[in-house]
Amino acid sequence: MTELRPARILAVETSCDETACAILENGRMLLGSAVASQMELHARYGGVYPEVASRQHVLSIVPVIEEALGKAHLTFQELDAIAVTRGPGLAGALVVGVNAAKGLALALGLPLIGVNHLEGHLYSPWVYTAGDKPPEEPEFPLMVLLVSGGHTELDLMTNHLEYNRLGATLDDAAGEAFDKVARLLNLGYPGGPAIQAAAEDGSPDRFNFPRAWLDGTWNFSFSGLKTAVMREAKDLQGKARTLPVQDMAASFQAAVVEVLFRKTMDAARELGARAIVVAGGVSANRTLRQRFQSQSEFKVHVPPLWLCTDNAAMIAAAGYYRFALGHTSGLDIDVEPTWPLS
Ligand code: KG4
Ligand code: ZN
């Protein structure tokens, strides 16, 4: 790849329930970042309430942009481009970020870059905080496991911005399965961290929950697993037994992790990948991280915890590579709530 030109990108992310802004230099070095989480607001509904999310983004967007710029000790005049998440995500939430970014680009006379949220997640391992030692850059071809609340897919990344989708979930995303199982075990929202915490003291071998291998494909399926946990819970409750929530959480988590790990390793071997990236909210899961870090024969790049869940630094990173390769957007772009990565 040819030498990329230096640039300072400000990115905005409002695809779901975090209002976020970050400024990144040369695609990797984070100068400032701010995230306003709406998690507590949505917890009472047991999931993200789209209308509430949009209204909260409207309230938070300007303070979050100001906070990120302040942390970076920069003014608007020192920026080179504005990146923003166009999708996938909640339409009403995306609109807030896209309009804020358009306003900035127009007022400052800067290029606008529409970014795919999934592309943002997979660029998260490139990011490091200014002053820290830069982590090794992932080498292509890369096997990417993208595991978030809305998506679960395997992609072969052959170069910057070049992806081949190998397979994806046929039903629930991995994060969605965590959230649904947490709800049925009364563990609250968001489900991933709640299941992880409950599983700490549970036995992963107590229940032999099903693993959907879907042999011969790189697809995933988690709805059968979720149903199996639900049946077991009903069965135990029918016998007037208190639910062994910790063992159920640990056994469920073990089933998800085993499928994600084994299929990713098989895909990496079969397609000749040089390294693996695991990204998206579920990549924050401790058991999943440990499995990849201890048992992979490939170099594994997993972002630090704060870059696993939604943030704007990853959008700035993907935005930088788009900008550097000339992929800027017009001011007439719209949101793309169901935009696939490839
Ligand atoms: O990437 P993300 O912040 O938002 C989307 O783009 O969807 O991912 C959120 C998802 C939620 O389903 C949440 O339960 C899951 O990531 N998650 C986890 C953990 N932390 C967040 N799942 C398992 N273990 C975790 N520690
Ligand atoms: Zn996300």
Side-chain angles (χ1 to χ4, degrees):
M1 189 153 169
T2 48
E3 191 69 12
L4 298 171
R5 62 175 156 146
R8 234 176 236 157
I9 313 257
L10 179 144
V12 170
E13 151 68 40
T14 63
S15 67
C16 191
D17 59 346
E18 329 271 2
T19 318
C21 177
I23 299 109
L24 203 70
E25 198 163 272
N26 302 342
R28 299 200 66 194
M29 189 167 74
L30 182 66
L31 303 178
S33 161
V35 182
S37 174
Q38 307 177 3
M39 213 178 278
E40 279 175 28
L41 212 57
H42 299 288
R44 77 181 90 149
Y45 305 109
V48 178
Y49 198 125
E51 192 53 38
V52 172
S54 311
R55 271 187 262 145
Q56 196 57 37
H57 285 309
V58 171
L59 296 176
S60 304
I61 189 80
V62 172
V64 161
I65 292 172
E66 285 173 345
E67 186 187 336
L69 265 181
K71 283 183 174 168
H73 305 291
L74 290 173
T75 63
F76 284 120
Q77 282 64 39
E78 293 168 283
L79 302 171
D80 296 298
I82 307 293
V84 65
T85 308
R86 277 180 81 181
L90 301 168
L94 290 163
V95 161
V96 179
V98 167
N99 282 327
K102 281 185 188 176
L104 284 176
L106 185 65
L108 300 167
L110 293 178
L112 180 69
I113 312 146
V115 174
N116 185 301
H117 180 81
L118 306 176
E119 183 168 81
H121 273 302
L122 71 84
Y123 268 96
S124 53
W126 268 264
V127 177
Y128 67 93
T129 306
D132 289 354
K133 186 168 171 279
E136 213 177 295
E137 242 184 285
E139 271 188 278
F140 303 116
L142 254 184
M143 185 54 60
V144 180
L145 172 66
L146 205 63
V147 268
S148 70
H151 295 82
T152 292
E153 59 182 72
L154 269 173
D155 296 274
L156 184 69
M157 190 175 178
T158 44
N159 203 339
H160 282 293
L161 313 181
E162 286 173 19
Y163 321 98
N164 286 312
R165 182 150 102 159
L166 305 174
T169 182
L170 301 178
D171 38 60
D172 293 344
E176 191 180 352
F178 269 94
D179 293 335
K180 287 178 175 170
V181 168
R183 203 173 306 153
L184 76 92
L185 296 179
N186 276 323
L187 290 171
Y189 172 85
I195 295 260
Q196 176 177 305
E200 288 289 299
D201 300 314
S203 159
D205 305 317
R206 165 100 181 257
F207 299 97
N208 188 16
F209 290 134
R211 278 91 166 133
W213 292 112
L214 307 183
D215 287 334
T217 78
W218 302 118
N219 292 328
F220 299 95
S221 165
F222 295 106
S223 77
L225 169 61
K226 173 195 67 192
T227 309
V229 179
M230 191 164 63
R231 280 220 195 93
E232 189 66 51
K234 281 214 176 109
D235 201 35
L236 291 168
Q237 279 161 339
K239 292 175 190 152
R241 301 254 292 274
T242 41
L243 284 187
V245 170
Q246 294 172 332
D247 292 344
M248 293 181 87
S251 302
F252 161 77
Q253 183 175 263
V256 176
V257 167
E258 190 179 354
V259 171
L260 292 176
F261 175 73
R262 288 239 217 129
K263 289 204 80 141
T264 307
M265 297 306 294
D266 287 350
R269 268 182 229 119
E270 204 159 304
L271 287 124
R274 296 182 73 168
I276 290 173
V277 160
V278 186
V282 181
S283 67
N285 185 268
R286 194 179 301 138
T287 307
L288 183 72
R289 296 167 79 88
Q290 278 169 355
R291 186 76 181 262
F292 272 100
Q293 278 157 351
S294 65
Q295 291 182 28
S296 164
E297 74 245 38
F298 299 89
K299 166 89 187 158
V300 178
H301 302 266
V302 195
L305 287 178
W306 68 273
L307 279 169
C308 290
T309 45
D310 291 348
N311 64 84
M314 66 187 198
I315 304 301
Y320 170 77
Y321 289 97
R322 294 231 153 249
F323 174 69
L325 295 170
H327 300 219
T328 52
S329 313
L331 283 174
D332 57 347
I333 56 165
D334 205 349
V335 299
E336 296 273 2
T338 59
W339 200 13
L341 175 65
S342 63

